[in-house]
Each structure stands twice: as structure tokens, then as C-alpha cells.
Amino acid sequence: MSIFLLLPVLVPFLTAVVTMLFWHERLIQRRVNVVGGIAFFVAALGLLALVWRDGIQATQIGNWPAPFGITLVADLFSAIMVVMAGLMGLVVAVYSLGSIDERREAFGYYPLLHTLLMGVSGAFLTGDMFNLYVWFEVMLIASFVLMALGGQRDQLEGALKYVTINLLSSALFLTSVGILYSVTGTLNMADLAHQISSGAVDSGLATVLAMMFLVAFGIKAGLFPLFFWLPASYHTPPIAITALFSGLLTKVGVYALVRVFTLIFVQDVDYTHTLLMVIAGLTMVTGVLGAVAQTEVRRLLSFHIISQIGYLLMGLGLFTELALTGVIVFMVHVIIAKSALFLVSGIVRQVAGSYDLKQLGGLYRTNAGLAALFFLPALALAGLPPFSGFWAKLTLVRAGLETEEYAIVAVSLVVSVLTLFSMTKIWAEAFWKDRPGQDEAFQPLLSPQRIALLGPVIVLAALTVILGLGAEPLIDLGTEAAAQLLNPSEYIQAVLGDVA
Amino acid sequence: MDSVVLRTATRYLLPLLLLFSVFALLRGHNEPGGGFVGGLVAATAFALYAVGYGVAAARQLLQTSPRRLIGIGLLVAASSGLIGMAWGDPFLTARWDTREIPVVGKLGTPLLFDIGVYLVVIGVALTIIFALIEAEEEA
Amino acid sequence: MEVILAIVIGALYAAGLYMMMRRSFVKLVIGLSLLGYASSLLIFTVNGVTRGQPPLVQEGMTQPVEPFADPLPQALILTAIVIGFGVQAFALVLFKRTYQSANTDDLDGIKSTEESGKVRSPEMT
């Protein structure tokens, strides 16, 4: 059934090509964009259902046997990530209809959007280190152009920083891949895992390589102390793009970290995973403290992306089945809640004309519905019951208590409180307080735009509640996926067949 | 640029270059050549024409926009990967026809893939070259 | 041979990083491309330099004669070069546009996206 593994890559590819063929026909592009978004999401769900039913799926591209050819693999973790990419793709594709201006549409916004999605799902599905590099580049090149598209001064300056840092990280990634190949003679992830676990590679050397990958992926994921490019660039493009970047791009970095630190580099867990945990704590704290100081909504939320990455890394550092379950549940939760907040802030900008908390106010009185749409994901992000974030954080905290890592648990709880504080700040400033300078009236949303903007946000806000009240299926799925991550032999067998 | 020598030479070189590009494309599977090189040679032919006669004339000669060539090329390349899947093989598995055809050799999906690459390379190269020449003409 | 290449690689990394830490846009681009070359050359060198032994299968045999050069690093480098070429071309255009709009080629002159008071918004329609 290799077609299911292929579709999440092929569907965005075809959507990008078809939108490019209709370069001058804006209406057709918009329609194809939505159809492609739906098809991608459905394809991703199909893959998840297949992996849930039949276990890990693998296909050898071009029928070249592993480890010589390129392998596409989907375990549950990959499949869940692909589904999240599909959800984000669909949501942003619809939201873009109401928020992206005609000039950007005329210069290839939709082809780029779907190329980005192709790169993301390729990165989630590949089973080969060099191929992962290639998918990273596909994704990055599309994201570079999306960030600069429009050409405002801020965008160009933000893009310059983003491009520079990412190219540096790519060069480091490529270097690490080269050395990895010279040490092990293979780049197939399953084969790498097999070689390193069977002791064919000196464990000290493997740890050095692990650190190189940690830095390369850490830059992309926005870890402490490598995150400074993120709040300097993420707020500059239109909000639909910011939401997509915050939902997917840093998460691809985290995905790569989880993949290599559960499958390949598990030879010296005491050292590597303790280090991961220290970085996790620092990432959380610096991210949330940076957020407290901000008054611009998009910059504030950008800093929160960083602190949330810390939670994901904490689970990886704890490295138990419960902790990895927490990582997966948290990943699903944070992608939904974070993007919902960005998209709501875009609507706030549309209605009240600003992203600046000092100039906003009084929205609760006139737009109670919008206020509710902000309120739900904000509380979810802070981790209050009964929203999705509560279960995610509870799982991580329980995992921390079980392994007696009290320090990181304490840090994560303090950071939660601070997150709640900065969500309250947005609430109080933008929605609750009186509006400074009452002269201009709020802009009402017009009807077709209304659906395109509010629809996606309502879906995401509803999901934070649904995943909170009915968390059990997601936690079951996460537990199953975590069990697969902790037992690499299943993965290796799916790719290589029976070895040793 | 207004040069009689260049225009006259282009008129004779254009068909030769295009023929050579197809030759490079067809021999590419087992010998030096291939879709990438063939595409570059074909793009050179059109670029030469654009320099001699202007971009508008070159676009007319091409009949379609370079961007459309990229799209079609990508579709052709992707379809070559899908053909093998009809026999239950993984994506991009090659299928060969057993009959030998003079000059071309055996027909198979890798040739289709190469044709896709050929079109994409022409499209990309000409998109860039036309944009650069047009920027020059405007200035 | 490996020793000379190792020194060259080290020099390329050093030069690339040095250029990146200068404050000019142009030097930054040069630094980035030097880093790309350094990693390509590194992949080539760490996987062993083999002289005059192409990995070609002779007529009537099923595998090439040992020792032969590993073709994979070269395939990796080729891919990396093509990707690097595209990315660098984009970076050049981006840097030129930034230079035109910010009217400076000094990296210290483009801090407006980092100061929270000065943030402007892209237009939405």
C-alpha cells in the first residue's frame, strides 16, 4: 500500500504545480488551493488510519532495497505529524483566502504555500538522513520566499536574518551528515540505528555527532541559546504565514530531534538526554520571560513559541514512555492552540487596525464572539483544565515526577503560570480595557471574508476544547506512538526486514 | 542588441541547437547527456534568439510561457514515477519496453522522467533569462 | 592528499565564519557560500580520496573491481551544490533588495524588527 505513504507528498506537489499552471488566473488558484488543502488533509488521515491498523509502513522508492535506496517510512509519530501538517495546511489555505492581498496572490503565494507543505510532509516521512536534508531545503526555500514575498522593509530585514541563520544551520547539518556517512557508511536511519546500537561505532564518536545534529536541528527548532532569529523574523510576514511557520517549521526541527534522539543516538542517554533536559528548562524560561516584556501581540506570541518548544524537549529529555506520550500530545495541542492564537490576532488586526496592545482595547464589548475565540486557545496554551493543554502538561509533569526530576517539573510549572500571566495580559489589554482614542469605529468583517477568517479559527478553538474534554483517544494514540519510538527494532524491521 | 551577424547566425544555429538538445536528451540514459544538459542547450537556443530578436519575439517562438513549461515538466516527471505503481511496484520504479528502437534505444519510464527534467530546465532557465533581458530592455 | 585537503577545509570554514562576522551584506553572502563549499569538500574528503578507480562495472562482471571510489559522496555533493546554488541566488537578490530598502549595507543598520516599539505591520486587505 505504498500509495498512502506517497500521497501526503504527492498531493501538495500536484496542488503546487496546478496552481502554478494557472499563474494568471487568481480565482482558479484560490479554488485549487482549497481543494488541494482538503485532499492533503484526507490523505494524511488515510495514512494515520493505515499505520494505526497495520503498524509501521515503509516503501523503497524506485524499488532500490534499503539501505541503498531512499526509504519513506511512517510510524505513528510520523503519521500524527503529517496529519497535523494536513490540518494546518487546510486551515491556513482557507484563512489565506480572506487575508492575503492580490499582489501576493499574483506572485505565486499559493504554489509556494503548497511547496512548503510538501517539504514538511516529506521531512516527516523520509527514512534517510540526506533525504531529510533535501526536504528541509525544499521547505526552507519555500519559507524564505513566503517570508520575503511582498517586499516591505520589515519583511526583507526579517527574511535576511532568517535566511542567514538557516543557511548556517543547513551547512552544519550537511557537515554532520557527511561525517556520519564516513563513520557508519550508511545514511538510512534504520541502518544507522542498527549500526550504532550494535556497537559498530565508537560511542564517544557517536555522541560528538549527536551534538552536531543537536546544534543543527536546535537552530531550526529555536532552542536556547539558538533562538534569537525567531522573534526577530516571525512577526514580519502576513499573519497566515506566521501562523503556518509557528505551527509547522519549528516543529519539524523538534520532530528531527525526537527522531534522531530516540532512534539513532541512544548510546549514551545519561549524557545526551540530561543535556537536552537542561536546554529544555532554559528554553522554557527565556522564552516566557522574553514574552512578558512584549507589547506587540505577534512578537509576544513568537516568544511563546520558544517556551513551548522547551516543553517538547523536556519530554524528550525525560525519555520514558509516559514522557514521549506527553511530547506527542503536547505537539498536537501546541500546534493547534498556537496557530489559533496567531490567526485570532490577525482578525483583531483586521477589526481594530493594530497588533499593538497599547492601541487596542474594548473588543470584548463589541465582539464577544471574537473574545471567546481568543479565550479558549489562550487558556489551553496556559494549561488550564478542561482544555487540551491541561492533559499535555499533566502527562509531562507526571512523567517528570515518576523519574524524580523535580527541578524540571518545578520550572515547567512556573513557566505555566507566567504563560497564563501573559495570556491574561493580552486579554486585559486587547479585549477588556477601554479603547484608547475612541474616535474610529471598529471595522466590521464583510461576509465572504468573514467565513474565510472565522471558519478556521472556530475549528481550531473547538479542537482545543474537544481534545480537552475527550482527551482519551489522543492519549491512547500518543501512548502507542511513544511505545513505537522507544522500541526502535520495530522501525528497523519495517525498513530493513529481518536483521541480526 | 542590433546585430545582423548575430541574427543571421541565430537563424541557422537555432534548429541545430534544438536538434542537438533532443540528441543529448535521448542518449542520456547510458552515455553523457540527459534531460538536464539537453534542456540547457535548448534554453541556450531560445536565449540566443531573445538576444538577437528581442524577448517578445522569443516568447512568440516558444508559443507558451516558460512557467507553463516548468509545470508541465513537473507533471511529466511525476507521472513517470506513477506508471510503475500500476504494476504494484513502489514509486519511481522503472518500467522498460522490451523492443529496441533505432537511435532512441529502449523506451521506458526513465526517458519520460528525463523529458520532464528537460522541460523544467528549459522553463526555469528561460524564466530567469527572459526576466533579466526584459529588465535590461526597460532600463 | 588528505592532509592538504583537511587544511583547505579548515581554512574555508574559518574564512567563511570570519566573513559572516563582518558587518557587511556582501561579505555575509560570501561567507555563506564559503561555508557551503567547506561542507561539500569535507564530505568529499572524509569519505576517502580514491585515485583513478571509478566505480564502473567491467564487461562480464557483476561488481566493480576493489578498491573503487565510493560514488555516494559525489552524489551527495552534487545535490548539495545544486541546492546551495539556488539558495545563494535567492540570498543575493534578497540582500540587494534589503540594501535598497534599508539604504545601508551594515548589518547593525537593520534592527527595526527587533525593537518592540518600532514594529510596523504588513498591510492586509
Side-chain angles (χ1 to χ4, degrees):
Chain A
M1 294 307 272
S2 69
I3 187 82
F4 278 98
L5 272 168
L6 202 63
L7 281 178
V9 180
L10 208 57
V11 168
F13 171 80
L14 289 178
T15 314
V17 171
V18 173
T19 46
M20 197 170 73
L21 283 175
F22 293 101
W23 190 264
H24 293 294
E25 277 130 298
R26 187 170 150 256
L27 272 180
I28 299 182
Q29 279 200 28
R30 287 162 68 95
R31 284 182 194 142
V32 172
N33 158 56
V34 174
V35 173
I38 295 171
F40 179 31
F41 186 46
V42 171
L45 285 177
L47 177 66
L48 180 63
L50 182 71
V51 176
W52 177 250
R53 207 189 58 196
D54 295 347
I56 300 179
Q57 299 290 313
T59 177
Q60 317 294 345
I61 297 295
N63 222 358
W64 290 91
F68 305 109
I70 289 169
T71 311
L72 291 186
V73 206
D75 63 355
L76 270 176
F77 181 46
S78 294
I80 293 171
M81 293 307 290
V82 172
V83 168
M84 292 320 290
L87 177 66
M88 285 312 299
L90 179 57
V91 160
V92 170
V94 173
Y95 192 89
S96 302
L97 296 178
S99 67
I100 297 298
D101 51 303
E102 284 185 33
R103 254 181 67 80
R104 285 194 174 85
E105 285 183 334
F107 281 92
Y109 176 80
Y110 294 116
L112 286 165
L113 177 68
H114 290 277
T115 311
L116 179 80
L117 292 174
M118 170 177 79
V120 170
S121 62
F124 288 149
L125 289 177
T126 187
D128 180 276
M129 280 316 255
F130 191 76
N131 202 230
L132 181 65
Y133 167 78
V134 174
W135 286 120
F136 261 108
E137 293 301 300
V138 170
M139 174 186 99
L140 283 176
I141 291 172
S143 74
F144 292 164
V145 186
L146 277 175
M147 185 167 263
L149 192 69
Q152 267 118 6
R153 187 179 159 183
D154 276 351
Q155 277 190 284
L156 293 173
E157 292 184 13
L160 193 148
K161 294 160 196 167
Y162 178 72
V163 168
T164 308
I165 295 293
N166 273 299
L167 288 187
L168 186 67
S169 137
S170 295
L172 197 62
F173 185 6
L174 190 61
T175 308
S176 323
V177 167
I179 299 178
L180 186 67
Y181 180 71
S182 78
V183 171
T184 59
T186 180
L187 288 173
N188 184 294
M189 292 184 196
D191 200 24
L192 283 169
H194 176 60
Q195 296 229 3
I196 291 183
S197 65
S198 67
V201 177
D202 177 52
S203 123
L205 197 54
T207 306
V208 172
L209 279 166
M211 291 302 106
M212 289 182 73
F213 279 108
L214 176 62
V215 176
F217 294 144
I219 293 177
K220 294 190 200 286
L223 301 188
F224 177 88
L226 309 164
F227 62 79
F228 290 95
W229 57 273
L230 196 154
S233 62
Y234 260 32
H235 60 91
T236 58
I239 198 80
I241 299 174
T242 309
L244 185 67
F245 283 14
S246 88
L248 291 181
L249 294 199
T250 47
K251 306 303 178 288
V252 177
V254 176
Y255 165 82
L257 281 172
V258 173
R259 181 61 76 208
V260 297
F261 281 100
T262 56
L263 182 64
I264 302 175
F265 298 118
V266 285
Q267 77 291 348
D268 189 5
V269 176
D270 270 350
Y271 176 71
T272 49
H273 289 67
T274 312
L275 182 68
L276 284 174
M277 205 134 62
V278 174
I279 297 175
L282 289 167
T283 308
M284 276 186 234
V285 173
T286 41
V288 85
L289 289 182
V292 170
Q294 302 298 322
T295 57
E296 212 263 4
V297 180
R298 289 172 304 171
R299 276 177 67 84
L300 197 158
L301 292 175
S302 295
F303 273 103
H304 272 295
I305 299 176
I306 299 164
S307 84
Q308 309 298 324
I309 296 288
Y311 283 95
L312 293 168
L313 206 61
M314 165 185 164
L316 179 58
L318 291 170
F319 203 54
T320 60
E321 187 174 316
L322 190 62
L324 288 174
T325 308
V327 172
I328 290 159
V329 176
F330 198 90
M331 187 82 99
V332 172
H333 142 73
V334 79
I335 290 176
I336 293 172
K338 200 30 151 302
S339 314
L341 287 175
F342 271 112
L343 295 179
V344 168
S345 73
I347 301 179
V348 168
R349 160 73 169 68
Q350 186 80 352
V351 171
S354 178
Y355 284 115
D356 191 348
L357 288 178
K358 287 177 197 147
Q359 289 164 25
L360 289 171
L363 277 168
Y364 176 70
R365 212 160 300 158
T366 52
N367 299 48
L370 186 60
L373 284 180
F374 169 80
F375 201 60
L376 299 178
L379 291 187
L381 195 73
L384 293 188
F387 303 102
S388 56
F390 173 70
W391 300 104
K393 285 188 180 171
L394 185 72
T395 318
L396 284 174
V397 167
R398 265 185 54 207
L401 292 177
E402 267 179 20
T403 41
E404 304 187 343
E405 298 283 355
Y406 298 115
I408 192 85
V409 170
V411 169
S412 74
L413 291 175
V414 171
V415 169
S416 274
V417 175
L418 288 172
T419 308
L420 183 61
F421 167 73
S422 57
M423 290 300 127
T424 331
K425 179 165 124 184
I426 302 184
W427 171 257
E429 296 280 331
F431 294 95
W432 198 250
K433 79 168 187 223
D434 284 335
R435 195 164 184 231
Q438 299 264 347
D439 35 352
E440 319 162 44
F442 288 125
Q443 296 274 329
L445 292 172
L446 302 173
S447 173
Q449 201 191 11
R450 203 182 157 82
I451 301 166
L453 294 184
L454 285 176
V457 180
I458 292 174
V459 169
L460 291 180
L463 275 176
T464 61
V465 181
I466 294 169
L467 293 180
L469 294 176
E472 205 162 320
L474 179 63
I475 292 177
D476 287 347
L477 188 65
T479 313
E480 193 76 17
Q484 282 184 357
L485 284 176
L486 276 182
N487 181 15
S489 59
E490 222 175 309
Y491 185 96
I492 296 173
Q493 173 151 14
V495 176
L496 296 179
D498 289 304
V499 280
Chain B
M1 205 193 325
D2 196 24
S3 152
V4 179
V5 178
L6 181 67
R7 287 185 182 207
T8 316
T10 305
R11 208 174 300 151
Y12 292 104
L13 276 174
L14 184 83
L16 276 178
L17 282 170
L18 288 180
L19 194 66
F20 178 63
S21 77
V22 174
F23 170 70
L25 165 70
L26 290 180
R27 82 195 286 259
H29 191 67
N30 288 322
E31 283 168 280
F36 193 89
V37 177
L40 280 181
V41 174
T44 334
F46 288 104
L48 205 59
Y49 198 83
V51 174
Y53 293 85
V55 171
R59 279 188 196 276
Q60 205 161 19
L61 183 73
L62 193 63
Q63 300 265 332
T64 175
S65 79
R67 202 173 279 123
R68 187 155 294 165
L69 281 183
I70 303 178
I72 294 169
L74 287 172
L75 285 182
V76 170
S79 70
S80 82
L82 290 173
I83 290 174
M85 295 184 82
W87 278 266
D89 288 327
F91 186 60
L92 280 175
T93 307
R95 300 289 311 181
W96 292 99
D97 190 65
T98 44
R99 280 157 296 181
E100 190 98 10
I101 297 172
V103 188
V104 180
K106 275 192 237 169
L107 287 181
T109 52
L111 180 67
L112 200 59
F113 187 84
D114 247 4
I115 293 174
V117 173
Y118 178 84
L119 293 175
V120 172
V121 171
I122 299 182
V124 171
L126 289 184
T127 309
I128 298 171
I129 293 170
F130 284 176
L132 289 176
I133 300 180
E134 271 167 342
E136 189 91 326
E137 280 172 356
E138 277 165 30
Chain C
M1 192 61 190
E2 273 88 350
V3 178
I4 300 172
L5 281 174
I7 293 170
V8 173
I9 293 165
L12 277 174
Y13 272 114
L17 289 172
Y18 176 74
M19 287 305 244
M20 285 187 76
M21 283 184 275
R22 306 292 296 273
R23 291 191 340 214
S24 143
F25 287 4
V26 182
K27 287 173 184 153
L28 181 58
V29 173
I30 296 174
L32 283 173
S33 44
L34 285 179
L35 274 188
Y37 302 147
S39 12
S40 297
L41 201 55
L42 180 109
I43 296 179
F44 181 67
T45 313
V46 287
N47 291 295
V49 184
T50 318
R51 210 182 163 122
Q53 303 283 347
L56 297 177
V57 185
Q58 300 298 322
E59 199 85 49
M61 295 174 77
T62 50
Q63 57 180 33
V65 189
E66 301 264 355
F68 58 90
D70 187 351
L72 191 77
Q74 296 172 35
L76 302 185
I77 294 168
L78 186 63
T79 314
I81 287 175
V82 173
I83 293 174
F85 166 75
V87 173
Q88 280 157 25
F90 175 77
L92 268 178
V93 177
L94 175 72
F95 284 29
K96 183 181 162 218
R97 288 289 306 276
T98 316
Y99 167 70
Q100 285 168 339
S101 80
N103 223 352
T104 171
D105 79 330
D106 186 345
L107 288 171
D108 280 355
I110 51 162
K111 281 189 180 160
S112 70
T113 62
E114 276 153 71
E115 290 153 27
S116 65
K118 284 195 194 163
V119 174
R120 286 154 292 180
S121 330
E123 294 306 312
M124 284 172 91
T125 47

